[in-house]
Amino acid sequence: MPTPILPRIDDCECTPNVQHLFRRHHLLQSPMYYIRWIYAAFYSLYLLFFMEPPTDRDIVGYIENTTMVMLIRPAADGRLGEYEVTVRDCKLRASGGYKLKNMSLRYKRGKRGVRLLSFTRNGVRMSNRGQIFSTVYFYHTHSFHTKSHLFSNSLVRHIVDNNVKILQESSYTSIPLHYELLHSSLSVLEWDGNVSRYLGYGGACIRESLVEESRNMSALAGHQAMERWKSHGKDSFAGKLLRSRLALQGVMERHEIDPKLLDPLFNHVIVHSLDHDGISQWSFLRFSLHPWDTECSIYQAFNTSMFRILITQPNLNPLAPNTIRSINKPFYQDLYRELRKIDPKMADVVTASVMY
Ligand SMILES: *[C@@H]1O[C@H](CO)[C@@H](O)[C@H](O)[C@H]1NC(C)=O
Ligand SMILES: *[C@@H]1O[C@H](CO)[C@@H](O)[C@H](O)[C@H]1NC(C)=O
Ligand SMILES: *[C@@H]1O[C@H](CO)[C@@H](O)[C@H](O)[C@H]1NC(C)=O
Ligand SMILES: *[C@@H]1O[C@H](CO)[C@@H](O)[C@H](O)[C@H]1NC(C)=O
Ligand SMILES: *[C@@H]1O[C@H](CO)[C@@H](O)[C@H](O)[C@H]1NC(C)=O
């Protein structure tokens, strides 16, 4: 009796059947974080000279070019060109005892570009663009993006337990990565409110609250709402995600892969890496990682940059990148070819598993 693939991030213990994956991760992927740290420190110092505070365009552009796009709805009162993003019942907490319970953003897309009309957080109206961007970033990276990680542990266990050779590359790194995030003192997340960050980086989100928030998958129902995605247009981020899903479905059929794996593979391979690629287009913005900071000092801007380079930008071992492009096997090559037809640059960043 095959076990169903359940969305759960905390199912990441090193059980005997996945020990080889932990060894592989420690050997090939872990050293990258240390090497990358040196690069991140120098690059962040350099970026400090060029960072700009976020504008309305950045806030809306970020939402439209990451998985946050799934939350965009035409304005409830039907005004032409106006859109809303609403989040309710959020469980995320930030250090210092702050809670993000809800947020709501409204913007207008017109002839003269985009304009933010309003933003409220926990029922309070805000206008500080840096804080607004920080709040959206905090919610996206710790709640919405995390949802693309949720099938990975279970999917990897399925591949290992059933010895699904054709998907072997999709088993690498994901479980040990989640284990480090949730259980090690090197995690960028905060452990029960006391800081374990000592490498010059660290986020503002409390680890337990991320796990709690990850239990609510209702926001991802957007995956099924294909009609809504189409409304964004064929070449928008949402449109490309939709076309990638159809491409994956076709390739899976050709290679006789169990169709039950469609949603898990879609998130694990495509959504996760494209979302990171989307985020990394905003590397030059100056804002504090903590959504309740009202200012952004040089030190805070530096911390944000370290977090971005180490955590949200693709962090691969160049000798073993595990991008589908680099895997010389029929299923991955076939998928790579199909994704290239949608967007060649996009196809190059897709990885066979959750690698960072
Ligand atoms: C958002 O949170 C605030 C503070 O907890 C609350 O007063 C308000 O009713 C909430 N709004 C929505 C729409 O849930
Ligand atoms: C830090 O967290 C650990 C683990 O949760 C806890 O045992 C310890 O008491 C905390 N220390 C402080 C100073 O809060
Ligand atoms: C920046 O990061 C350091 C080290 O992780 C941390 O101790 C410090 O509180 C952070 N500073 C700000 C202003 O967030
Ligand atoms: C789950 O999240 C959605 C929005 O993402 C929210 O509307 C819903 O109330 C949440 N459910 C629970 C039980 O928190
Ligand atoms: C983000 O997406 C929108 C709409 O899909 C597009 O017009 C815009 O150019 C994108 N912005 C960036 C910075 O890529």
Side-chain angles (χ1 to χ4, degrees), residues 191-195 208:
W191 181 260
D192 239 345
N194 77 19
V195 195
E208 288 71 17

Side-chain angles (χ1 to χ4, degrees), residues 9 62-63 65-69 71 87 90 92-94 100 103 132-150 177-178 181-182 187-190 202-207 209-211 213-214 271-272 274-283 287-291 303-314 354 356:
I9 197 152
Y62 183 92
I63 291 173
N65 295 283
T66 60
T67 48
M68 285 297 282
V69 71
L71 298 176
V87 171
C90 179
L92 293 180
R93 284 178 282 131
L100 177 61
M103 66 180 194
I132 294 175
F133 193 91
S134 176
T135 307
V136 170
Y137 188 82
F138 180 78
Y139 175 76
H140 174 242
T141 49
H142 297 100
S143 172
F144 218 92
H145 173 75
T146 304
K147 297 186 195 303
S148 70
H149 283 250
L150 293 188
L177 177 80
H178 291 158
L181 274 174
L182 296 184
S187 168
V188 284
L189 301 168
E190 291 203 22
C205 188
I206 308 286
R207 215 177 325 198
S209 78
L210 177 142
V211 175
E213 174 72 4
S214 75
V271 179
H272 170 264
L274 295 191
D275 203 24
H276 274 276
D277 189 53
I279 305 172
S280 59
Q281 294 172 43
W282 278 268
S283 308
F287 66 96
S288 171
L289 274 183
H290 198 299
N303 274 5
T304 304
S305 182
M306 290 296 281
F307 182 85
R308 273 194 300 233
I309 297 174
L310 290 168
I311 306 303
T312 60
Q313 290 190 5
V354 164
Y356 41 79

Side-chain angles (χ1 to χ4, degrees), residues 3-40:
T3 43
I5 295 177
L6 299 172
R8 239 186 94 181
I9 197 152
D10 50 349
D11 174 24
C12 54
E13 279 74 31
C14 182
T15 46
N17 54 345
V18 295
Q19 256 168 18
H20 65 290
L21 297 172
F22 275 74
R23 275 196 300 272
R24 188 184 187 283
H25 174 78
H26 289 310
L27 213 65
L28 288 175
Q29 191 65 10
S30 285
M32 285 312 297
Y33 292 103
Y34 296 96
I35 297 170
R36 186 87 169 192
W37 183 85
I38 299 168
Y39 163 78

Side-chain angles (χ1 to χ4, degrees), residues 17-210:
N17 54 345
V18 295
Q19 256 168 18
H20 65 290
L21 297 172
F22 275 74
R23 275 196 300 272
R24 188 184 187 283
H25 174 78
H26 289 310
L27 213 65
L28 288 175
Q29 191 65 10
S30 285
M32 285 312 297
Y33 292 103
Y34 296 96
I35 297 170
R36 186 87 169 192
W37 183 85
I38 299 168
Y39 163 78
F42 283 104
Y43 191 45
S44 297
L45 286 174
Y46 166 80
L47 282 181
L48 283 178
F49 293 100
F50 306 100
M51 284 185 201
E52 299 268 0
T55 62
D56 290 8
R57 241 182 86 111
D58 295 319
I59 295 166
V60 173
Y62 183 92
I63 291 173
E64 289 186 340
N65 295 283
T66 60
T67 48
M68 285 297 282
V69 71
M70 291 180 204
L71 298 176
I72 300 176
R73 305 280 179 270
D77 52 15
R79 293 223 195 136
L80 202 65
E82 291 189 18
Y83 301 90
E84 291 172 339
V85 172
T86 306
V87 171
R88 288 196 192 89
D89 299 317
C90 179
K91 306 281 190 287
L92 293 180
R93 284 178 282 131
S95 57
Y98 294 96
K99 292 181 179 163
L100 177 61
K101 291 182 185 156
N102 56 49
M103 66 180 194
S104 164
L105 178 150
R106 188 177 175 118
Y107 69 94
K108 184 178 170 70
R109 188 168 262 300
K111 280 191 218 79
R112 278 178 295 150
V114 290
R115 197 155 53 88
L116 204 63
L117 300 173
S118 67
F119 184 85
T120 59
R121 180 177 73 191
N122 297 347
V124 180
R125 244 182 119 98
M126 288 165 49
S127 61
N128 180 329
R129 297 311 192 240
Q131 257 186 318
I132 294 175
F133 193 91
S134 176
T135 307
V136 170
Y137 188 82
F138 180 78
Y139 175 76
H140 174 242
T141 49
H142 297 100
S143 172
F144 218 92
H145 173 75
T146 304
K147 297 186 195 303
S148 70
H149 283 250
L150 293 188
F151 293 100
S152 299
N153 299 333
S154 214
L155 175 65
V156 169
R157 291 186 196 279
H158 173 90
I159 294 171
V160 172
D161 293 345
N162 298 285
N163 197 13
V164 188
K165 288 223 170 59
I166 192 170
L167 295 176
Q168 191 196 335
E169 281 75 8
S170 291
S171 68
Y172 297 160
T173 279
S174 313
I175 294 183
L177 177 80
H178 291 158
Y179 184 84
E180 274 170 17
L181 274 174
L182 296 184
H183 300 295
S184 94
S185 62
L186 278 179
S187 168
V188 284
L189 301 168
E190 291 203 22
W191 181 260
D192 239 345
N194 77 19
V195 195
S196 58
R197 33 169 111 173
Y198 63 84
L199 287 177
Y201 70 88
C205 188
I206 308 286
R207 215 177 325 198
E208 288 71 17
S209 78
L210 177 142

